[in-house]
Amino acid sequence: MKEVVQFLNDNKVQYFATVGLDGRPKARPFQFMLEKEGKLYFCTSNMKEVYKELQNNPYVELVTSNPEFAWMRLSGKAVFSNDLEIKATIIETSPLVKSIYQTAENPVFEIFYLEEAEAVIADFSGNPPKVYAC
């Protein structure tokens, strides 16, 4: 888990894929927020299309890469949470999120973690990919 979190923190822009309401794949830039008690947390607004897509089909995949051409694919099931402590931590540690939502109590501010998560970190070295259950 430590290597997965480090890779996400080192590579701030990830691309997050969902199944759109039209049944087609949708991808957009996203950002990992934090790990707590073995759960990888992200956030969004319940006014966005991505929120509706996750309500309809919670299975997602995220990909990111580093300047050395190593990459990580992270997949799992999005599970929404109303944990105000985690929301407050995200607000306190992310100036971007704070500028958008201001407070943890903002009714459009949603957080979710990935359940059944699996990460695969690979590169072009010829070595086998590293697989992590998260």
Side-chain angles (χ1 to χ4, degrees):
M1 175 71 85
K2 183 178 178 182
E3 189 172 354
V4 171
V5 170
Q6 189 65 49
F7 203 95
L8 289 167
N9 283 329
D10 288 348
N11 303 287
K12 298 288 187 198
V13 178
Q14 297 106 35
Y15 294 92
F16 189 77
T18 58
V19 176
L21 297 177
D22 61 2
R24 297 178 180 207
K26 305 295 180 195
R28 78 270 298 152
F30 234 72
Q31 189 174 16
F32 167 69
M33 291 291 115
L34 62 89
E35 179 272 331
K36 182 157 184 178
E37 298 176 359
K39 295 177 181 173
L40 304 172
Y41 282 89
F42 300 84
C43 67
T44 192
S45 165
N46 59 27
M47 305 301 287
K48 291 185 177 181
E49 196 73 15
V50 68
Y51 178 80
K52 295 172 192 159
E53 292 166 358
L54 292 171
Q55 296 299 306
N56 188 56
N57 183 341
Y59 291 94
V60 302
E61 187 164 84
L62 175 145
V63 66
T64 190
S65 61
N66 68 20
E68 292 78 36
F69 302 107
W71 65 92
M72 181 174 66
R73 293 173 66 187
L74 174 65
S75 60
K77 180 181 178 182
V79 176
F80 284 87
S81 169
N82 288 316
D83 188 318
L84 282 175
E85 180 183 326
I86 294 173
K87 285 183 172 186
T89 300
I90 291 171
I91 292 282
E92 291 165 16
T93 58
S94 175
L96 175 62
V97 174
K98 185 171 187 166
S99 74
I100 296 168
Y101 301 108
Q102 286 83 46
T103 71
E105 294 82 11
N106 187 324
V108 301
F109 180 42
E110 300 285 347
I111 62 169
F112 62 93
Y113 62 89
L114 296 184
E115 186 175 78
E116 305 168 17
E118 179 181 88
V120 177
I121 298 176
D123 59 31
F124 292 109
S125 68
N127 294 321
K130 297 176 184 175
V131 179
Y132 303 87
C134 304

